[in-house]
Amino acid sequence: MYLVSHPDDLRYVLQSHPSEFRALDVPGSRDFMRVVRNSVVNLHEEDGWTRRIRLIGPEFNEQLVVPKTPEMVETTLATLAEFEGDDGGATRADPGAVPESVQVRAPDHDGVRLLPAMQRLTLRLLGVSLFGPDIRAQETEIIESVDGLRDLFKQRQTRLVASYVGRRLPDELHLPTFLQEGLGADPTIELGSRQDARIEAYVDQLVGAADAIIERRLRTPRAYDDALGTWLCRRDPVDGESLDPATLRQEVLGLLIAGHATVTAGMTWACYLLAARPEVQERIRAEARETELLAPHGEAACAVALGEEPATEDGESFIDALPYTRRVWQETIRLYPPLPVFGRTADTDTTVGGETLAEGTHVLISPYVTHRDPEFWDDPGTFDPSRFEPEAVAGRHELAYLPFSKGRHACLGETIATTEAVAALAALCSTYRVEFARPHDVAPDEFDPHEAPHVELDSAINLQPDRDLCVRFTPLE
């Protein structure tokens, strides 16, 4: 197994010689494939990827995504309204009615749990982009399932590392037998039957949610102005066939993991960074309020709303008016790429970066590592959105930045994720102040709402904080 991190070598693997590599075949990726199999997330040419792109690709096009920006803004503001107040909206919903992992209220803080809040928001944004508003009917099941799968996949990762250590440490250290047995020595790691049954239960729950969504489309596909209804009816121009419901279900599952969980992680990190940087919030706010869509109350804004002046700002104009907000998002996912590591397996003997790789060698690619390489990034651990000003981008290696991968199989949802995030951050900062929430056992005069709590990284499925972060969304006057 090799880690490939230099942009020249990444170009070889992802762009110039992709046919020499196939999908990564290791236990962690096999876990992931249990959920996203037979979806565009994991298909390759030999599996029918090109045909699938013909059938579902148009809905990921910028010309179809960006016009939905006003609805994304409205959805963001409506969702944030649920999180207002010291109790994080607890009075609006019975916290005992949903599983703990889905509960937004922070019982020991004067705010909300950031990750569940962003899960709720980004799932609804995915509804705007692709799935339709009725995805909210399965909101609880989807969030609970994804969280549960993350936890179980992380357990397997821990066992894999322990097994690796256990097989190699005895060569240099004489470990007690009980400890050696506890670490394990079998390279083929299996979760216990109880954990494996839980994985199946969460997968079944996700499948049930996807089936419910598809069933509604089958009854009246034209009633839903969304991608799913379109995909059911679209016919392939080559073979004349359309997607069957079972295949469409797999696309829904793939997008719930790849489309929802990744944007959730990025938005969670964005709020974490913004809460510690009120000056960045203020700059986004100023930029957003210059747009017609997020202009504050006043004569000019109301005149446009009443039709006394022509409203000229469409989704494209709105997004184009937010260059700084976009740079904040780009810098967020440079520091914390939602997919911190992915990979390929060599399909033939090949040479990468001067190293000869035999067929079957695993090649890991880590945007997290490449994004922090000081050869391409000055002071790489510092948050600095100016890195993405046009002049800076033009002078940097194209593959020094790859949060959505690169090449033919780059993430299909890059435009959707970027548009959702930019719209949501602009809406958030234009009307709210985000701060860290005070624990109830800390006096107000002893708490700094802009001091970021220390967190470690949790990289199971995607990259997110390893613990609860609690914030307050306070409406601006």
Coordinates of all heavy atoms in Angstrom, one line a residue, residues 319-370:
I319 N -25.1 33.9 -6.9 CA -23.9 33.2 -6.6 C -22.7 33.9 -7.0 O -21.7 34.0 -6.3 CB -23.9 31.8 -7.2 CG1 -25.0 30.9 -6.5 CG2 -22.6 31.1 -7.1 CD1 -24.7 30.6 -5.1
D320 N -22.8 34.6 -8.2 CA -21.6 35.3 -8.7 C -21.3 36.5 -7.8 O -20.2 37.0 -7.8 CB -21.9 35.8 -10.1 CG -21.8 34.7 -11.1 OD1 -21.3 33.6 -10.8 OD2 -22.3 34.9 -12.3
A321 N -22.3 37.0 -7.1 CA -22.1 38.2 -6.2 C -21.5 37.8 -4.8 O -21.3 38.6 -4.0 CB -23.4 38.9 -6.0
L322 N -21.1 36.5 -4.6 CA -20.6 36.0 -3.4 C -19.2 35.4 -3.5 O -19.0 34.3 -3.0 CB -21.6 35.0 -2.8 CG -23.0 35.5 -2.5 CD1 -23.9 34.3 -2.3 CD2 -23.1 36.5 -1.4
P323 N -18.2 36.1 -4.1 CA -16.9 35.5 -4.3 C -16.2 35.2 -3.0 O -15.5 34.2 -2.8 CB -16.2 36.5 -5.1 CG -16.9 37.8 -4.9 CD -18.3 37.5 -4.7
Y324 N -16.3 36.1 -2.0 CA -15.7 35.9 -0.7 C -16.3 34.7 0.0 O -15.6 33.9 0.6 CB -15.7 37.1 0.2 CG -15.0 36.9 1.5 CD1 -13.6 36.9 1.6 CD2 -15.8 36.8 2.7 CE1 -13.0 36.7 2.8 CE2 -15.1 36.6 3.9 CZ -13.8 36.5 4.0 OH -13.1 36.3 5.2
T325 N -17.6 34.6 0.0 CA -18.3 33.5 0.7 C -17.8 32.1 0.0 O -17.6 31.2 0.8 CB -19.8 33.6 0.5 OG1 -20.2 34.9 1.0 CG2 -20.5 32.5 1.3
R326 N -17.7 32.1 -1.3 CA -17.2 30.9 -2.0 C -15.7 30.6 -1.5 O -15.4 29.4 -1.3 CB -17.2 31.1 -3.5 CG -16.7 29.9 -4.3 CD -16.6 30.2 -5.7 NE -17.9 30.3 -6.3 CZ -18.5 29.3 -6.9 NH1 -17.9 28.1 -7.0 NH2 -19.7 29.5 -7.5
R327 N -14.9 31.6 -1.3 CA -13.5 31.4 -0.9 C -13.5 30.8 0.5 O -12.6 30.0 0.8 CB -12.7 32.7 -1.0 CG -12.5 33.1 -2.5 CD -11.3 34.1 -2.6 NE -11.6 35.4 -1.9 CZ -12.2 36.4 -2.5 NH1 -12.6 36.3 -3.7 NH2 -12.3 37.5 -1.8
V328 N -14.4 31.3 1.4 CA -14.5 30.7 2.7 C -14.8 29.3 2.7 O -14.2 28.4 3.4 CB -15.5 31.5 3.6 CG1 -15.8 30.8 4.9 CG2 -15.0 32.9 3.9
W329 N -15.8 28.9 1.8 CA -16.1 27.5 1.7 C -14.9 26.7 1.1 O -14.6 25.6 1.6 CB -17.3 27.3 0.8 CG -17.6 25.9 0.4 CD1 -17.5 25.4 -0.9 CD2 -18.1 24.8 1.2 NE1 -17.8 24.0 -0.9 CE2 -18.2 23.7 0.4 CE3 -18.4 24.8 2.5 CZ2 -18.7 22.5 0.9 CZ3 -18.9 23.5 3.1 CH2 -19.0 22.4 2.2
Q330 N -14.2 27.2 0.1 CA -13.1 26.5 -0.5 C -12.0 26.3 0.5 O -11.4 25.2 0.6 CB -12.6 27.3 -1.7 CG -13.5 27.3 -2.9 CD -13.1 28.2 -4.0 OE1 -12.8 29.4 -3.7 NE2 -13.0 27.7 -5.2
E331 N -11.7 27.3 1.4 CA -10.7 27.2 2.4 C -11.1 26.2 3.5 O -10.3 25.5 4.0 CB -10.4 28.6 3.0 CG -9.4 28.6 4.1 CD -7.9 28.2 3.7 OE1 -7.7 27.7 2.6 OE2 -7.0 28.4 4.5
T332 N -12.4 26.2 3.8 CA -12.9 25.3 4.8 C -12.6 23.8 4.4 O -12.1 23.0 5.2 CB -14.4 25.4 5.0 OG1 -14.6 26.7 5.6 CG2 -14.9 24.4 6.0
I333 N -12.9 23.5 3.1 CA -12.7 22.1 2.7 C -11.3 21.8 2.2 O -11.0 20.7 1.9 CB -13.8 21.7 1.7 CG1 -13.8 22.5 0.4 CG2 -15.2 21.7 2.3 CD1 -14.7 22.1 -0.7
R334 N -10.5 22.9 2.2 CA -9.0 22.6 2.1 C -8.5 22.1 3.4 O -7.8 21.1 3.5 CB -8.3 23.9 1.7 CG -6.7 23.6 1.5 CD -6.0 24.9 1.5 NE -5.9 25.6 2.7 CZ -5.1 25.4 3.7 NH1 -4.2 24.4 3.6 NH2 -5.1 26.1 4.8
L335 N -8.9 22.8 4.5 CA -8.4 22.4 5.8 C -9.1 21.1 6.2 O -8.4 20.2 6.8 CB -8.7 23.5 6.8 CG -7.9 24.7 6.8 CD1 -8.5 25.8 7.7 CD2 -6.5 24.4 7.3
Y336 N -10.3 20.9 5.9 CA -11.1 19.7 6.4 C -11.9 19.1 5.2 O -13.1 19.2 5.1 CB -12.1 20.1 7.5 CG -11.4 20.8 8.7 CD1 -11.5 22.2 8.9 CD2 -10.6 20.0 9.5 CE1 -10.9 22.8 10.0 CE2 -10.0 20.6 10.6 CZ -10.2 22.0 10.8 OH -9.5 22.6 11.9
P337 N -11.2 18.5 4.2 CA -11.9 17.9 3.1 C -12.8 16.8 3.6 O -12.4 15.9 4.4 CB -10.7 17.3 2.3 CG -9.6 17.2 3.2 CD -9.7 18.3 4.2
P338 N -14.1 16.9 3.2 CA -15.1 15.9 3.7 C -14.7 14.5 3.5 O -15.0 13.6 4.3 CB -16.3 16.3 2.9 CG -16.2 17.7 2.6 CD -14.7 17.9 2.3
L339 N -14.0 14.2 2.3 CA -13.5 12.8 2.1 C -12.0 12.9 2.2 O -11.3 13.2 1.3 CB -13.9 12.3 0.7 CG -13.6 10.8 0.4 CD1 -14.4 10.0 1.4 CD2 -13.9 10.5 -1.0
P340 N -11.4 12.6 3.4 CA -10.0 12.9 3.7 C -9.1 11.9 3.0 O -7.9 12.2 2.8 CB -9.9 12.8 5.2 CG -11.0 11.8 5.6 CD -12.1 12.1 4.6
V341 N -9.6 10.7 2.6 CA -8.7 9.7 2.0 C -9.6 8.8 1.1 O -10.7 8.5 1.5 CB -7.9 8.9 3.0 CG1 -8.9 8.1 3.9 CG2 -7.0 7.9 2.3
F342 N -9.1 8.6 -0.1 CA -9.8 7.6 -1.0 C -8.7 6.9 -1.7 O -7.5 7.1 -1.4 CB -10.8 8.3 -1.9 CG -10.2 9.3 -2.8 CD1 -9.8 9.0 -4.1 CD2 -10.1 10.6 -2.4 CE1 -9.3 10.0 -4.9 CE2 -9.6 11.6 -3.2 CZ -9.2 11.3 -4.5
G343 N -9.0 6.1 -2.7 CA -7.9 5.3 -3.3 C -8.2 4.5 -4.5 O -9.4 4.5 -5.0
R344 N -7.2 3.9 -5.0 CA -7.4 3.0 -6.2 C -6.5 1.8 -5.9 O -5.6 1.8 -5.1 CB -6.9 3.7 -7.5 CG -7.6 5.0 -7.8 CD -9.0 4.7 -8.4 NE -9.6 6.0 -8.9 CZ -10.4 6.8 -8.2 NH1 -10.6 6.5 -6.9 NH2 -10.9 7.8 -8.7
T345 N -6.8 0.7 -6.7 CA -5.9 -0.5 -6.7 C -5.4 -0.7 -8.1 O -6.1 -0.6 -9.1 CB -6.8 -1.7 -6.2 OG1 -7.2 -1.5 -4.9 CG2 -5.9 -3.0 -6.3
A346 N -4.0 -0.9 -8.1 CA -3.4 -1.0 -9.4 C -3.9 -2.2 -10.2 O -4.0 -3.3 -9.6 CB -1.9 -1.2 -9.3
D347 N -4.4 -2.0 -11.4 CA -4.9 -3.1 -12.2 C -3.9 -3.8 -13.1 O -4.2 -4.7 -13.8 CB -6.0 -2.5 -13.1 CG -7.2 -3.4 -13.3 OD1 -7.3 -4.4 -12.5 OD2 -8.0 -3.2 -14.2
T348 N -2.7 -3.2 -13.1 CA -1.6 -3.8 -13.8 C -0.3 -3.3 -13.2 O -0.3 -2.4 -12.3 CB -1.6 -3.3 -15.3 OG1 -0.6 -3.9 -16.0 CG2 -1.5 -1.8 -15.4
D349 N 0.8 -3.9 -13.5 CA 2.1 -3.4 -13.0 C 2.3 -2.0 -13.6 O 2.1 -1.7 -14.8 CB 3.3 -4.2 -13.5 CG 3.2 -5.6 -12.9 OD1 2.4 -5.8 -11.9 OD2 4.0 -6.5 -13.3
T350 N 2.7 -1.0 -12.8 CA 2.8 0.4 -13.2 C 3.9 1.1 -12.4 O 4.4 0.5 -11.4 CB 1.5 1.1 -13.1 OG1 1.6 2.4 -13.7 CG2 1.0 1.2 -11.7
T351 N 4.2 2.3 -12.8 CA 5.2 3.1 -12.1 C 4.6 4.5 -11.8 O 4.1 5.2 -12.7 CB 6.5 3.3 -12.9 OG1 7.0 2.0 -13.2 CG2 7.5 4.1 -12.2
V352 N 4.7 4.8 -10.5 CA 4.2 6.1 -10.0 C 5.2 6.8 -9.2 O 5.7 6.2 -8.2 CB 2.9 5.9 -9.2 CG1 2.4 7.3 -8.7 CG2 1.8 5.2 -10.0
G353 N 5.6 8.0 -9.6 CA 6.6 8.7 -8.9 C 7.9 8.0 -8.7 O 8.6 8.2 -7.7
G354 N 8.3 7.2 -9.7 CA 9.6 6.5 -9.6 C 9.5 5.2 -8.9 O 10.4 4.4 -8.8
E355 N 8.3 4.9 -8.3 CA 8.1 3.6 -7.6 C 7.4 2.6 -8.5 O 6.4 3.0 -9.1 CB 7.3 3.8 -6.3 CG 8.0 4.6 -5.2 CD 9.1 3.8 -4.5 OE1 9.0 2.5 -4.6 OE2 10.0 4.4 -4.0
T356 N 7.9 1.4 -8.6 CA 7.2 0.4 -9.3 C 6.2 -0.3 -8.5 O 6.5 -0.8 -7.4 CB 8.2 -0.7 -9.8 OG1 9.2 -0.1 -10.7 CG2 7.5 -1.8 -10.6
L357 N 4.9 -0.3 -8.9 CA 3.8 -0.9 -8.2 C 3.3 -2.1 -8.9 O 3.0 -2.1 -10.1 CB 2.6 0.1 -8.1 CG 3.0 1.5 -7.6 CD1 1.7 2.3 -7.4 CD2 3.7 1.5 -6.3
A358 N 3.3 -3.2 -8.2 CA 2.8 -4.5 -8.8 C 1.3 -4.4 -8.9 O 0.6 -3.7 -8.1 CB 3.2 -5.6 -7.9
E359 N 0.7 -5.2 -9.8 CA -0.7 -5.3 -9.9 C -1.3 -5.7 -8.5 O -0.7 -6.6 -7.8 CB -1.1 -6.4 -10.9 CG -2.6 -6.6 -11.1 CD -2.9 -7.8 -12.0 OE1 -2.0 -8.3 -12.6 OE2 -4.1 -8.1 -12.1
G360 N -2.4 -5.1 -8.1 CA -3.0 -5.4 -6.8 C -2.5 -4.5 -5.7 O -3.0 -4.5 -4.6
T361 N -1.5 -3.6 -6.0 CA -1.0 -2.7 -5.0 C -2.1 -1.6 -4.7 O -2.7 -1.1 -5.7 CB 0.3 -2.0 -5.4 OG1 1.3 -3.0 -5.6 CG2 0.8 -1.0 -4.4
H362 N -2.3 -1.3 -3.5 CA -3.3 -0.3 -3.1 C -2.6 1.1 -3.1 O -1.5 1.3 -2.6 CB -3.9 -0.5 -1.8 CG -4.6 -1.9 -1.7 ND1 -5.5 -2.3 -2.6 CD2 -4.4 -2.9 -0.8 CE1 -5.9 -3.6 -2.3 NE2 -5.2 -3.9 -1.2
V363 N -3.3 2.1 -3.7 CA -2.8 3.5 -3.8 C -3.8 4.3 -3.0 O -4.9 4.5 -3.4 CB -2.6 3.9 -5.2 CG1 -2.3 5.4 -5.2 CG2 -1.6 3.1 -6.0
L364 N -3.3 4.9 -1.9 CA -4.2 5.8 -1.2 C -3.9 7.3 -1.6 O -2.7 7.7 -1.8 CB -3.9 5.7 0.3 CG -4.3 4.3 1.0 CD1 -4.0 4.4 2.5 CD2 -5.7 4.0 0.7
I365 N -5.0 8.1 -1.7 CA -4.9 9.5 -2.0 C -5.5 10.2 -0.9 O -6.7 10.0 -0.6 CB -5.6 9.7 -3.4 CG1 -4.9 9.0 -4.5 CG2 -5.7 11.2 -3.7 CD1 -5.7 8.9 -5.8
S366 N -4.8 11.2 -0.3 CA -5.4 11.9 0.8 C -5.4 13.4 0.5 O -4.4 14.1 0.6 CB -4.5 11.7 2.1 OG -5.0 12.5 3.1
P367 N -6.6 14.0 0.2 CA -6.7 15.4 0.0 C -6.2 16.1 1.3 O -5.6 17.2 1.2 CB -8.1 15.6 -0.3 CG -8.6 14.4 -0.9 CD -7.8 13.3 -0.2
Y368 N -6.5 15.5 2.4 CA -6.1 16.2 3.7 C -4.5 16.4 3.7 O -4.1 17.5 4.1 CB -6.5 15.3 4.9 CG -6.2 15.9 6.2 CD1 -7.1 16.7 6.9 CD2 -5.0 15.7 6.9 CE1 -6.9 17.3 8.1 CE2 -4.7 16.3 8.1 CZ -5.6 17.0 8.7 OH -5.4 17.6 9.9
V369 N -3.8 15.4 3.3 CA -2.3 15.5 3.3 C -1.9 16.5 2.2 O -1.1 17.4 2.5 CB -1.7 14.1 3.1 CG1 -0.2 14.3 2.8 CG2 -2.0 13.2 4.2
T370 N -2.4 16.4 1.0 CA -2.0 17.2 -0.1 C -2.3 18.7 0.2 O -1.6 19.6 -0.2 CB -2.6 16.7 -1.4 OG1 -2.2 15.4 -1.7 CG2 -2.2 17.6 -2.6

